[in-house]
Amino acid sequence: MIKKLFAGILCLITSVSFAEEDMTIQGAEELFEATKIVCNGISDEISHVSKISKVNTAVTAAGTVAAGGALYAGIKKSQEEQEIDALVDRMCRAGGCDSETVKNMSLEDFYNNVISPMAQIAELQKKLEKSKKLGNWRTGLMAGTIGTNLASAIISGVNANQSELIQHIEACNDMVKSVETASMQLKAAGFNPAENPVIKKLDNVKTWCAQININDVEKIEKRMKGVMGTSIAGTVVGVVGTATSAAANSDKYMDAKNRIGLTDAERQKAKNLNTTANIMAGTNVATGLVETGLNMSLITLTKNLMSQAGRCEEVLQ
């Protein structure tokens, strides 16, 4: 719609200002005013994109910090889990955790291999509580990355389509081409720029407005789509990671009585859950860094575009 509007203005001005391709000073003034109408406002549109990119950078940075915190808590939990397994092994080494073995023990063996090691149950419970707290932190922080990634995906998705801005710049570029042609015709017809300020105006428009790079807007679209895709992937990782972290922190593994009775297969499953949750946290750190990097590059792109559009609008005053 915007492109059609600008194209209509361009056709109108062209038909009014060009008489058998002969440009007049009056026609040049009209062309300048039409260019002002078409090219103004581009910097405001780019400014909106820049603000969105800055907001999204803050969102993704927060998500990266949360994922980093989850990874740290997960690593500390894994270290704690190793100590817990070692303690359980000491308590159960002589068969004190096997009911059939205990049944056949002498009183002396029962004391040495069951009663004495079980005195460490309080230490085991203390370590399990610490591990559970670390696991809860990891789960909560992973859940936080779901929100930041989802917000980033929505923000970038809504603003990924910059077709109206592209159409606006294309229409402005079309006007600049007409301005360049008009300036050349006036000079060829013998009009002196020193005596006819409008020629100088047209030259300034040609110099500064031609610098607005449509390719930069297309890069903005691609990078916003990149942020959206990465954010969606991060959301999925966050959901899976949160569920995995919660499963690794369940009472089955965090209660002293249950922990002592785990089979080797169940202990290995607990380790696998913790490892997977940590990998998910690390993956979310990586996706967050990618998202933040893309958003920061968007800020640079929009800054350059705003500078170009701003200079153009200055010469159109």
Side-chain angles (χ1 to χ4, degrees):
M1 183 65 186
I2 290 177
K3 189 174 182 180
K4 290 179 180 178
L5 174 62
F6 291 149
I9 293 174
L10 178 58
C11 290
L12 175 62
I13 295 303
T14 302
S15 63
V16 170
S17 302
F18 287 85
E20 297 180 356
E21 297 188 353
D22 290 334
M23 172 59 69
T24 65
I25 293 297
Q26 182 181 351
E29 291 281 6
E30 291 172 353
L31 181 59
F32 179 81
E33 290 301 318
T35 304
K36 182 187 294 187
I37 293 171
V38 174
C39 293
N40 268 324
I42 291 176
S43 62
D44 288 339
E45 293 178 43
I46 299 169
S47 176
H48 172 73
V49 177
S50 179
K51 289 175 183 177
I52 291 298
S53 299
K54 289 175 182 177
V55 169
N56 217 4
T57 300
V59 170
T60 56
T64 305
V65 170
L71 178 59
Y72 175 79
I75 291 171
K76 297 297 288 184
K77 178 177 173 63
S78 293
Q79 293 172 349
E80 198 68 30
E81 287 291 306
Q82 289 179 353
E83 295 181 12
I84 288 169
D85 284 338
L87 181 57
V88 170
D89 285 340
R90 289 200 303 272
M91 293 170 66
C92 299
R93 188 178 297 133
C97 296
D98 180 70
S99 58
E100 288 301 316
T101 303
V102 171
K103 192 186 300 182
N104 297 318
M105 282 182 182
S106 65
L107 287 176
E108 184 178 358
D109 285 342
F110 181 74
Y111 176 82
N112 291 332
N113 297 325
V114 179
I115 299 299
S116 182
M118 284 302 163
Q120 300 177 73
I121 195 74
E123 183 183 352
L124 174 63
Q125 188 61 51
K126 184 178 179 180
K127 284 184 173 296
L128 285 168
E129 287 172 0
K130 183 177 179 181
S131 178
K132 188 175 182 68
K133 183 179 291 185
L134 288 166
N136 285 338
W137 286 348
R138 180 180 62 188
T139 302
L141 289 167
M142 285 290 286
T145 66
I146 298 173
T148 55
N149 276 302
L150 190 58
S152 177
I154 292 170
I155 291 170
S156 53
V158 168
N159 293 276
N161 186 346
Q162 292 296 321
S163 59
E164 289 196 1
L165 176 57
I166 290 173
Q167 289 171 1
H168 195 167
I169 293 175
E170 285 177 343
C172 180
N173 287 344
D174 288 341
M175 295 299 290
V176 172
K177 290 175 185 176
S178 295
V179 164
E180 184 174 7
T181 301
S183 177
M184 291 171 58
Q185 288 181 350
L186 288 169
K187 291 173 184 176
F191 287 100
N192 186 347
E195 297 175 356
N196 299 279
V198 68
I199 301 176
K200 179 64 175 176
K201 288 183 179 180
L202 295 183
D203 286 342
N204 284 337
V205 169
K206 179 186 68 174
T207 299
W208 297 108
C209 295
Q211 293 187 17
I212 303 176
N213 194 342
I214 196 73
N215 292 330
D216 284 346
V217 184
E218 292 170 351
K219 288 178 184 177
I220 286 173
E221 282 194 322
K222 288 179 182 177
R223 289 179 193 181
M224 277 197 169
K225 288 175 183 176
V227 173
M228 179 177 66
T230 308
S231 297
I232 290 171
T235 302
V236 173
V237 170
V239 170
V240 176
T242 301
T244 304
S245 181
N249 220 38
S250 66
D251 287 343
K252 179 177 181 178
Y253 306 115
M254 292 295 103
D255 180 79
K257 293 179 182 177
N258 292 337
R259 189 61 175 258
I260 291 172
L262 291 180
T263 64
D264 288 343
E266 288 172 328
R267 284 174 64 169
Q268 187 58 49
K269 182 179 180 181
K271 288 180 182 178
N272 292 343
L273 286 170
N274 273 310
T275 300
T276 302
N278 289 347
I279 290 172
M280 294 291 182
T283 302
N284 255 350
V285 172
T287 57
L289 289 172
V290 171
E291 292 164 19
T292 303
L294 285 170
N295 278 312
M296 290 181 72
S297 71
L298 280 168
I299 293 171
T300 301
L301 273 175
T302 54
K303 182 179 179 181
N304 292 338
L305 271 171
M306 276 194 294
S307 177
Q308 293 161 1
R311 286 195 295 266
C312 172
E313 290 169 7
E314 283 176 12
V315 302
L316 287 169
Q317 299 305 313

